[in-house]
Amino acid sequence: GEGEEEGEEEEEFKLLSAAWELLGSEEKRRQYDSLDYFNDALPTAFRPRADDPGRFFRVFGPVFARQAKFSVARPVPSVGDDETPLEEVQRFYAFWTRFRSWRDFSLLAEYDTAEAEDREERRWMQRQNKNEVERLKRSEMRRLMSAVELAQENDPRLHRAKEERAAERELQRRRKEEALAAEKRAKAEAAEQARAAEAAAAAAAAERASKDSDKAAAKREKEKARSALKKARKELKSLGEEGAAWRARASDLEAVASGLPLVEIEALHATLSAGDDAAGTDALEAALRKVLG
């Protein structure tokens, strides 16, 4: 009947009014879009497979693509693929670890403030609703951050980068060890060379000292022989001094004293001093012949 038609028209009018109100309010549109049919499933575990490296991107790519609609910041980076440069991968995770969402859970609030009987009850409902909405938002962000961490832990690109860094550190460690070993060998060789040079210098110094000592000894012997010769000559010539036994042969004694070697001078002196004039004369004559030729 007419009553039923009017009721249907009134209900349709209410729905249209609600729709226009929803479309005309950005806040209400966001509240509706936050809860509109949406696959907000997030992985809580992931087991990588060596024989299927692309599985990571098939699992996490759609997850972040769906969540991107709630991002306050734009543009939203995507997961990328296995060939995405490491810098972009790092920027991707930096973005999602600081993700700011506009998702609004107000429509899930427990109390309808329109049903409040007075202002005090309405304010109480508003506080309860606010606390519940904030709790839902925190819970959703924890859930999303857990998914981000799970992706980071299993991202094959980050694993490769980590392995490459470890390999580079190992290479640097080996190079450092080799450099230290080379430095140690060089120091040991330098020390050995220094010891050898020191030993050679000591040997050379000892040899020089020995030569100097020999020279000094030779010089002393030479000086001693010179002194002995001088003394022997003086003693031989003294036999021809005034009042001496061989005064008459003083000039001959002078000649042989200057020309004979030490041993012969000493022998001649001994013969002349023995008191045997004949033997002394023969010895002196022989000495003269030797000296004068």
Side-chain angles (χ1 to χ4, degrees):
E2 292 182 2
E4 291 180 358
E5 290 180 359
E6 289 179 358
E8 291 177 358
E9 290 177 357
E10 183 178 352
E11 184 65 26
E12 185 177 347
F13 176 77
K14 288 181 179 179
L15 291 174
L16 288 173
S17 297
W20 278 109
E21 182 183 0
L22 176 63
L23 293 173
S25 170
E26 182 178 352
E27 180 181 357
K28 288 187 177 296
R29 283 202 310 274
R30 284 197 168 187
Q31 291 173 356
Y32 177 79
D33 289 342
S34 295
L35 301 177
D36 191 16
Y37 175 75
F38 169 66
N39 178 10
D40 64 351
L42 296 174
T44 57
F46 181 80
R47 181 173 296 177
R49 291 172 53 181
D51 61 341
D52 187 9
R55 180 167 174 266
F56 172 85
F57 303 100
R58 292 197 304 275
V59 170
F60 286 97
V63 169
F64 287 104
R66 291 193 300 267
Q67 292 292 328
K69 66 179 288 186
F70 299 120
S71 177
V72 173
R74 296 287 171 174
V76 181
S78 66
V79 172
D81 56 32
D82 200 50
E83 301 300 323
T84 301
L86 180 62
E87 293 77 9
E88 291 185 23
V89 176
Q90 292 171 333
R91 283 197 294 270
F92 169 82
Y93 286 109
F95 179 92
W96 283 96
T97 52
R98 295 191 296 267
F99 185 74
R100 290 190 303 124
S101 172
W102 55 257
R103 196 173 186 185
D104 189 342
F105 295 92
S106 297
L107 294 180
L108 296 179
E110 181 178 357
Y111 299 99
D112 184 355
T113 56
E115 297 178 358
E117 295 181 359
D118 52 38
R119 179 183 298 178
E120 183 176 347
E121 185 179 12
R122 184 180 302 107
R123 288 178 177 174
W124 180 86
M125 288 181 175
Q126 288 172 343
R127 288 195 300 272
Q128 296 300 312
N129 288 344
K130 180 182 178 182
N131 292 338
E132 177 63 11
V133 168
E134 290 178 351
R135 185 191 67 78
L136 291 171
K137 185 68 174 281
R138 288 194 300 270
S139 176
E140 177 62 14
M141 290 307 298
R142 283 195 298 269
R143 198 170 70 96
L144 179 58
M145 289 303 103
S146 294
V148 173
E149 292 174 3
L150 183 65
Q152 277 186 301
E153 292 170 0
N154 292 279
D155 194 317
R157 300 163 300 185
L158 296 182
H159 283 185
R160 281 199 305 273
K162 183 178 180 180
E163 291 171 356
E164 289 170 1
R165 288 194 299 271
E168 179 62 23
R169 286 195 298 270
E170 177 62 19
L171 177 61
Q172 293 299 328
R173 185 191 66 78
R174 287 201 303 270
R175 286 178 176 173
K176 185 176 181 180
E177 286 184 353
E178 291 171 359
L180 289 174
E183 182 180 359
K184 186 176 181 180
R185 287 194 300 272
K187 286 182 177 179
E189 291 174 1
E192 182 60 30
Q193 290 174 357
R195 285 193 294 271
E198 185 178 352
E207 185 177 358
R208 287 194 300 271
S210 177
K211 288 180 179 179
D212 291 343
S213 177
D214 292 344
K215 287 180 180 179
K219 185 177 181 180
R220 287 193 299 273
E221 288 298 323
K222 189 175 182 180
E223 290 294 332
K224 184 178 179 182
R226 186 181 295 113
S227 297
L229 179 60
K230 184 178 181 180
K231 180 181 178 182
R233 284 174 175 173
K234 183 178 180 181
E235 290 178 349
L236 181 61
K237 288 188 287 185
S238 68
L239 295 178
E241 292 177 353
E242 189 72 29
W246 296 91
R247 176 69 182 84
R249 305 291 299 269
S251 59
D252 294 335
L253 291 173
E254 182 76 28
V256 296
S258 300
L260 291 178
L262 175 61
V263 175
E264 294 182 15
I265 290 174
E266 290 176 340
L268 178 59
H269 182 277
T271 301
L272 295 176
S273 300
D276 186 342
D277 292 343
T281 299
D282 291 341
L284 181 56
E285 291 296 334
L288 281 171
R289 286 194 297 273
K290 183 175 181 180
V291 171
L292 299 177

